[in-house]
Amino acid sequence: MKVWDEMISCALVEGRTYLMEHESKELLERQGIATTGAAVACTAEEAVEISNRIGYPVVLKVLSPEVIHKSDAGGVKLNLKNAASVEQAYAEITHAFQDKNVTGVAVQRMASPGLELIVGVSRDPTFGSVLMFGLGGVFVEVLKDVSFRVLPVTDADIEEMIMEIQGYPLLRGYRGTAVDLGALKDMLRRISEMVTRYPEIREIDLNPVFLYEEGYIAVDARIFLERPEKSELDVISGEHSTGGKSSLRTLFYPESLAVIGASDKPGKLGWNVFNNLLQHRFAGRLYPVNVNSKTVQGVRAYSSISEIDDPVDAAVIIVPAALTLEVFEDCCRKGIKFMIIESAGFAETGEEGENIERDLKKLAAAYGCRFVGPNCSGIINPHHRMIQSIGTIGELRPGNIGLIAQAGVYVAGMIWGMRHTMDFALVATIGNKADINETDMLEYLGEDDNIEVVCMYLEDVKAGRRFIDTASEVTAKKPVIVLKSGRTEAGKKAVSSHTASLAGNDLIYDAAFRQSGIIRAADNEHMFGLARAFSKQPLPSGEGAMVISYSGSWGVAAADALSMSGMRLSDIDDATLGRLGAILPPYVGINNPVDCTFEMNALQLKAIIEAGVECSDTSSFIAVIQAELLHTYAEVLPEIDFRGKPIICCVPCKEFAMDNVITLEQTGFPVYSTPEEAVAALSAMHRYASAISCRITG
Ligand code: ADP
Ligand code: MG
């Protein structure tokens, strides 16, 4: 567009990185975005002439590359009703800014008051351009009540970002007032299109926009310019990664695996890794490589990778950082396609380590191989009996949870305990992710049919746009639960010193996760609590839940939690009420929550559920059961036919009945300590199920 190019070059010639109000408004108008317009006057006469033309009342504003906040310095004169007041305002403005470089005075229509909004665009190093929307004035200044979405946005994104702000009820209307939400959505869509079309736009500030019963008008506008570097765009889209589109399947299911640095000395990490592979009877051929030993843990060892005659699919490297380049190149020459570098001492420690990482990447690109890490804890695949963890782990049952974790020790230290209540299909640690990153892993976990639920522990994301696109595809097939740390400034510092990565702005991450359909976990407990429910129980088909409890108060707590998380107690039909009456003691009222009193027992629960599955409004169950009787429930629950309706167990004081909790969990019943936690899991499943059906039908 000619005007656009002219404006940019004009701004650049003047050394400006932003467009002034009249220029910004002109561009917006050309995109079909309504503004009060602005014509430039360089004399009082011109100001009057323009005012006569556009009609009174008018507004005069100072136009100066040196003035950002015009009204602070007396540069905005509102509601000028005639030529005399325009002349006076003109004189006042020029006087107030006589020391500044003033381009002129903007003359524009005076807009009638409406609901004040702020609409903006800014650029994030990870995700690229992001759109912001909120209510203006104190809502934005004090309450910071705004929402974000990564651009470009879909209509659904726009809808969600509007509904997400705290002040949404003001938009929806109260006491007969209403605003034009259709016009608002149209404006946001046009802004998105504009920024996508003109990547030179670094930031936009429309503050305020007045929203009316019909239409809206932008009264102040400022656009900041900066052409993004190609390298910046590549980072966001993920073009910079060395890898191609080839599947990572061989990495996760290698037929042969070398362990370079496998050790015969207990206590060394190279001992742990090899011992894990041996103990779990790795489902392929194993080749320990060690320069000093003829055998490692009883297995014939090789002094170098080149000594192995057979083809090797993948190699774990666990030698000092300074030796990795040499070892890595040996692997490349041998034709190994996947390397897992578990050694530490790379980018997380400083420049020297960073240089080694860079050289590793060059080698990988030259030989067409890919690598995980460095500074990770390898891959765990119980379906392939492949445990590369640096922490020794007991028996692992193959399951359906996929876990991607940035930090190696996090996984190594946690799986030992988690395996009692969670069954993993794959655990992939990514460490410094010099090559294979979280999105590559996520893409693969999306394809692997053993995996039904994905959990991710992230400290940052490498290529934001590619992450959103990939995650959107995966979440359409299976739930993805993400715990992202580094939310606070303090957390961020800890992150950079830990894995040499910088955490991005948390609000943008939040927006990106929402846009991708990701379920964001508040903490570790929450993530694994959700994973247990999603991995063990079917999704509920509706919002009605039957709560069965041994105590009225637990039942009430569950009912409250349900209604606060978009679910509700199911309506029990008369036939079901009749059946429940025959099961329950005569002295209790028959209702939902079903209060069995402290006489509650396993057979009774079975009978209630068998009645409940017949009730059409009941799509799920929450059972609050006694910790001291847990073993009896563990025997009976597996015998019940739930007809595809999920059940979530709540066992207050469950931490003192862990043996039975583990039995229940292993037979497929997730157990939580409180009704609130149980509902948090169930409602997340309900939301996911609804979002999926919306995506399918909408
Ligand atoms: P600033 O650079 O200080 O943000 P603005 O252009 O936003 O200057 O003007 C300050 C305030 O004046 C706005 O928040 C709005 O309330 C009011 N205002 C500005 N322009 C107009 C207009 N054309 N019609 C009605 N009110 C306006
Ligand atoms: Mg303003």
Side-chain angles (χ1 to χ4, degrees):
M1 187 166 67
K2 193 159 161 283
V3 184
W4 172 250
D5 294 335
E6 274 171 16
M7 276 189 199
I8 289 187
S9 50
C10 178
L12 293 179
V13 165
E14 288 172 24
R16 270 190 291 139
T17 53
Y18 69 94
L19 300 178
M20 278 184 284
E21 182 176 340
H22 63 295
E23 299 167 315
S24 304
K25 282 181 173 171
E26 182 166 350
L27 280 177
L28 290 162
E29 291 277 353
R30 282 167 184 273
Q31 299 299 317
I33 295 162
T35 77
T36 51
V40 187
C42 292
T43 62
E45 293 71 41
E46 271 176 27
V48 171
E49 201 180 294
I50 298 166
S51 305
N52 289 339
R53 198 170 64 235
I54 62 179
Y56 295 91
V58 298
V59 174
L60 262 56
K61 294 184 195 174
V62 64
L63 281 179
S64 162
E66 292 173 47
V67 180
I68 300 283
H69 297 290
K70 303 175 292 282
S71 53
D72 286 355
V76 177
K77 304 286 177 193
L78 300 171
N79 206 18
L80 308 170
K81 295 200 172 96
N82 50 46
S85 44
V86 167
E87 273 171 16
Q88 191 189 337
Y90 189 94
E92 282 171 12
I93 289 177
T94 40
H95 179 72
F97 294 91
Q98 54 188 331
D99 300 336
K100 300 269 189 232
N101 166 16
V102 172
T103 312
V105 172
V107 184
Q108 58 194 251
R109 286 196 309 280
M110 171 82 191
S112 42
L115 184 64
E116 262 192 56
L117 307 178
I118 177 166
V119 174
V121 169
S122 60
R123 211 183 272 166
D124 179 84
T126 304
F127 293 100
S129 295
V130 292
L131 178 64
M132 186 192 79
F133 155 78
L135 294 176
V138 288
F139 289 97
V140 57
E141 305 279 341
V142 185
L143 302 174
K144 307 211 177 348
D145 183 17
V146 291
S147 58
F148 292 91
R149 284 297 180 273
V150 176
L151 291 176
V153 288
T154 63
D155 288 352
D157 292 330
I158 290 176
E159 189 100 10
E160 279 173 17
M161 76 186 290
I162 292 175
M163 286 170 54
E164 203 173 292
I165 61 166
Q166 303 279 317
Y168 175 63
L170 288 173
L171 288 165
R172 212 179 37 204
Y174 61 101
R175 288 199 211 139
T177 62
V179 288
D180 192 344
L181 285 181
L184 170 60
K185 288 175 198 168
D186 181 67
M187 170 180 55
L188 294 174
R189 191 163 37 238
R190 284 171 195 272
I191 299 266
S192 169
E193 282 165 10
M194 177 175 176
V195 178
T196 311
R197 192 170 318 148
Y198 304 114
E200 298 90 344
I201 298 178
R202 195 192 70 205
E203 280 166 41
I204 299 182
D205 237 346
L206 305 187
N207 184 18
V209 173
F210 291 162
L211 185 57
Y212 303 117
E213 248 172 69
E214 227 173 279
Y216 67 86
I217 196 152
V219 292
D220 186 20
R222 194 174 294 118
I223 293 177
F224 295 84
L225 303 169
E226 184 185 61
R227 273 201 188 92
E229 300 283 330
K230 174 155 185 334
S231 58
E232 269 175 78
L233 294 175
D234 286 353
V235 165
I236 291 160
S237 64
E239 288 299 323
H240 70 305
S241 66
T242 46
K245 271 261 144 200
S246 66
S247 168
L248 300 182
R249 187 157 179 96
T250 306
L251 170 68
F252 292 106
Y253 296 84
E255 279 175 22
S256 48
L257 181 68
V259 181
I260 305 167
S263 170
D264 217 17
K265 295 198 188 81
K268 295 204 113 190
L269 296 183
W271 189 91
N272 289 2
V273 172
F274 197 70
N275 190 257
N276 274 326
L277 287 160
L278 273 187
Q279 291 304 313
H280 289 86
R281 293 173 293 108
F282 170 62
R285 299 186 310 274
L286 269 183
Y287 301 95
V289 177
N290 184 310
V291 269
N292 302 316
S293 319
K294 289 263 173 294
T295 61
V296 168
Q297 301 180 38
V299 179
R300 184 223 154 154
Y302 298 80
S303 62
S304 78
I305 202 83
S306 55
E307 216 185 287
I308 305 169
D309 288 332
D310 305 328
V312 175
D313 283 342
V316 172
I317 298 177
I318 185 152
V319 299
L323 301 178
T324 43
L325 269 177
E326 192 187 323
V327 165
F328 190 87
E329 188 155 19
D330 286 349
C331 293
C332 295
R333 283 211 201 89
K334 165 90 185 142
I336 305 177
K337 288 291 172 219
F338 293 101
M339 270 66 89
I340 302 103
I341 307 174
E342 300 196 22
S343 329
F346 295 85
E348 79 280 10
T349 57
E351 204 181 319
E352 209 174 307
E354 251 171 60
N355 291 340
I356 307 178
E357 272 186 30
R358 196 169 325 115
D359 292 344
L360 284 169
K361 270 203 276 199
K362 281 192 200 142
L363 279 177
Y367 284 92
C369 26
R370 309 235 25 204
F371 66 100
V372 183
N375 187 23
C376 73
S377 184
I379 299 201
I380 295 175
N381 180 353
H383 291 278
H384 199 52
R385 301 198 300 275
M386 181 176 74
I387 315 302
Q388 300 170 351
S389 173
I390 53 171
T392 49
I393 303 174
E395 196 193 329
L396 282 173
R397 284 163 322 132
N400 60 357
I401 302 174
L403 170 65
I404 300 167
Q406 187 147 354
V409 178
Y410 169 82
V411 166
M414 193 182 57
I415 299 288
W416 176 86
M418 293 295 192
R419 70 199 161 102
H420 297 292
T421 56
M422 282 194 285
D423 296 334
F424 293 92
L426 272 182
V427 179
T429 62
I430 48 181
N432 293 6
K433 51 188 179 181
D435 175 26
I436 295 179
N437 63 28
E438 59 283 339
T439 309
D440 300 311
M441 292 292 193
L442 179 59
E443 192 171 48
Y444 178 73
L445 266 57
E447 287 165 19
D448 190 317
D449 289 335
N450 283 333
I451 294 165
E452 287 172 336
V453 185
V454 178
C455 291
M456 300 180 90
Y457 168 76
L458 294 177
E459 286 162 11
D460 71 341
V461 162
K462 274 260 154 90
R465 192 65 244 177
R466 184 175 159 235
F467 176 80
I468 292 179
D469 293 343
T470 306
S472 304
E473 275 173 36
V474 179
T475 56
K477 290 190 276 191
K478 44 189 99 171
V480 177
I481 307 160
V482 173
L483 173 60
K484 157 84 177 60
S485 66
R487 282 186 176 223
T488 59
E489 287 306 317
K492 257 186 214 170
K493 283 212 183 67
V495 165
S496 12
S497 59
H498 176 43
T499 337
S501 53
L502 295 163
N505 180 317
D506 194 65
L507 291 173
I508 311 301
Y509 272 101
D510 213 58
F513 292 161
R514 285 169 196 258
Q515 269 172 288
S516 326
I518 282 174
I519 301 161
R520 185 169 189 177
D523 51 38
N524 279 286
E525 189 74 17
H526 187 210
M527 175 162 74
F528 294 117
L530 293 176
R532 286 187 287 116
F534 274 103
S535 64
K536 292 172 191 187
Q537 288 289 314
L539 296 174
S541 61
E543 59 193 24
M546 181 186 275
V547 175
I548 308 156
S549 160
Y550 68 78
S551 131
S553 43
W554 291 125
V556 173
D560 282 352
L562 282 170
S563 75
M564 284 190 291
S565 30
M567 293 186 73
R568 59 176 173 79
L569 293 166
S570 57
D571 290 327
I572 312 294
D573 55 67
D574 290 343
T576 311
L577 283 176
R579 291 182 67 184
L580 292 179
I583 302 164
L584 290 165
Y587 52 86
V588 299
I590 315 293
N591 216 327
N592 187 9
V594 184
D595 182 1
C596 302
T597 78
F598 209 60
E599 286 179 26
M600 179 168 172
N601 62 63
L603 288 175
Q604 196 184 37
L605 178 67
K606 180 171 187 275
I608 294 169
I609 291 169
E610 281 165 355
V613 292
E614 304 279 350
C615 165
S616 62
D617 194 48
T618 299
S619 299
S620 59
F621 298 92
I622 289 180
V624 188
I625 50 192
Q626 307 99 314
E628 62 275 31
L629 299 179
L630 213 48
H631 57 287
T632 60
Y633 291 95
E635 273 167 31
V636 170
L637 278 167
E639 292 167 8
I640 302 173
D641 178 4
F642 288 90
R643 310 266 187 88
K645 298 184 178 183
I647 179 166
I648 306 287
C649 299
C650 170
V651 179
C653 302
K654 74 161 190 169
E655 52 278 36
F656 305 104
M658 275 320 279
D659 286 353
N660 291 315
V661 169
I662 290 170
T663 309
L664 264 180
E665 289 273 0
Q666 293 189 350
T667 35
F669 300 97
V671 181
Y672 302 86
S673 301
T674 65
E676 291 80 5
E677 283 173 281
V679 169
L682 183 62
S683 61
M685 291 168 85
H686 166 62
R687 274 193 301 279
Y688 177 73
S690 316
I692 290 298
S693 68
C694 267
R695 279 212 236 177
I696 291 165
T697 55

